[in-house]
Amino acid sequence: MSAKLFSEKTERALLGLLISKPHLTKRVTGTINPGDFYFKENNLVFQAILNSFKIHNSADEILIAEELSILSSESKEKMFSYITELMMDSGIETNIEKYINIIKEKQQTRSLESTLKESISIVSSSNGNSVSELIGQVESKIYNVTKNRELKDFKNVNILTEEYQLKMKKMSEEGYQEGLRTKITSLDKKIGGLKDGEFIIVAARPSMGKTAFALEIAKNISVVKNVGFFSLEMPAEQLIKRMISSESMIEQREFNKMSQMSQISNARLTTSIDKIRRLNLWIDDSASLKIGELSWKARKLNSLHNLDLIVIDYLQLIESETNTRDNRQQAIADISRQLKGLARELKIPIIALSQLSRRVEQREDKRPQMSDIRESGAIEQDADIIMFLYREDYYKHDEQSTKKPMSDLEVIISKHRNGPTGIVRLGLDLTYGKISSMNSMQRKGN
């Protein structure tokens, strides 16, 4: 039988989890049945867990082995050995719902395959029955497969309204803020923070400050929240150097001359390194990632650390699962759609950086537009927020602009599904890669 019709690893993970943590049995009772397990021994173990819990209100390995010896013809010692193996394969508690869903989906797929084979047999040996009679028989069999499926994707508007009313009350009484704050004040005021399930695109031409902007947000949020950062373009060490430089306001080239630094600079550098070290930030710098592998890593990291934000640098470097080199637009569409789905599944915002096409360079006004995003159609549709980064002095080649350390950075919010669009003006210190709001820049300049 095809491996797509069962998952031994998932069955063992769920059973091992239930044996290791008996209190979880209450959560699975009524949601999954022994018959949902493909392997007979797993079917028996789950039945033994249910029986033991029903009789003793507990289901440790000794009680389960006792029940198994009754259910099967195998010896208690052999059953105890198998239970020990399952405990070693125990899954993660936060993934229990996923294990249940996988096992049930596999069982439904097996039932559907069996039903379709029976349906073909019914049609092949119709014995003169009319088409309507044949359809009726086939429909009846398929209904028997689907009738036990849970209708859990719909929520009554009464429940939804009540949930939102509670959220409004919390916001009013406790000062609760719905969006995740980037701590870039002017940006937070404009977009209201980053919302759960949002897919956010930050797009710009090379050297506009995309990575500096993303790092600033990741660094600010990871002080108290958990952030995953996928850096497909830049090694993790380079990201760390950038963050230390931004935090300490010391140029990266000075890091190799610590012995020559002043006492004050050395202390500032040490303090900044200590601050970066305490961030709740996890970096994956794999140079080549397919969207499936990236999604798996994100889910795994989330199961271990309950992520609050994911940042991807950058979208066009992700590879599609299908061989679509001849149609890169379709590949990007698939990647974009999966990232949007991942944000909703994990219930956290995902920021993906994106490159702009060279067309922007050919216009007199070089401020980016939607059509400048490479393979833009699906990205424009899927994204909840699209922000473009633009620095006017990047295109000025006079000596004064070249020597200017502080650059005016425009964050052009061109799409905001649930809020206003407009421009947020920030500053980018080109020496240290430091992002700051305009008011703080002006105070420094006064």
Side-chain angles (χ1 to χ4, degrees), residues 15-63:
L15 293 174
L17 186 59
L18 295 177
I19 297 166
S20 304
K21 300 182 177 182
H23 67 279
L24 294 177
T25 305
K26 286 183 179 179
R27 286 175 59 180
V28 304
T29 303
T31 63
I32 190 168
N33 302 308
D36 293 329
F37 290 84
Y38 173 73
F39 294 93
K40 184 181 178 182
E41 57 269 33
N42 294 341
N43 178 313
L44 291 172
V45 169
F46 187 66
Q47 185 64 64
I49 290 172
L50 294 180
N51 290 352
S52 176
F53 201 84
K54 187 176 181 180
I55 298 168
H56 307 288
N57 201 31
S58 182
D60 63 27
E61 57 267 39
I62 297 171
L63 294 173

Side-chain angles (χ1 to χ4, degrees), residues 27 45 61 72 75-76 111 118 135-136 159 165 196 209-210 224 248 264 283 299-300 320 342 379 395 422-423 441 443:
R27 286 175 59 180
V45 169
E61 57 267 39
S72 71
S75 67
K76 190 186 299 183
S111 296
E118 287 181 36
I135 291 174
I159 296 171
Q165 191 175 16
D196 290 348
K210 291 192 303 298
V224 292
S248 66
I264 293 174
I283 298 172
R299 291 186 185 102
K300 184 69 175 177
S320 175
L342 185 64
I379 295 174
Y395 295 103
I423 297 176
M441 283 174 59
R443 283 197 299 269

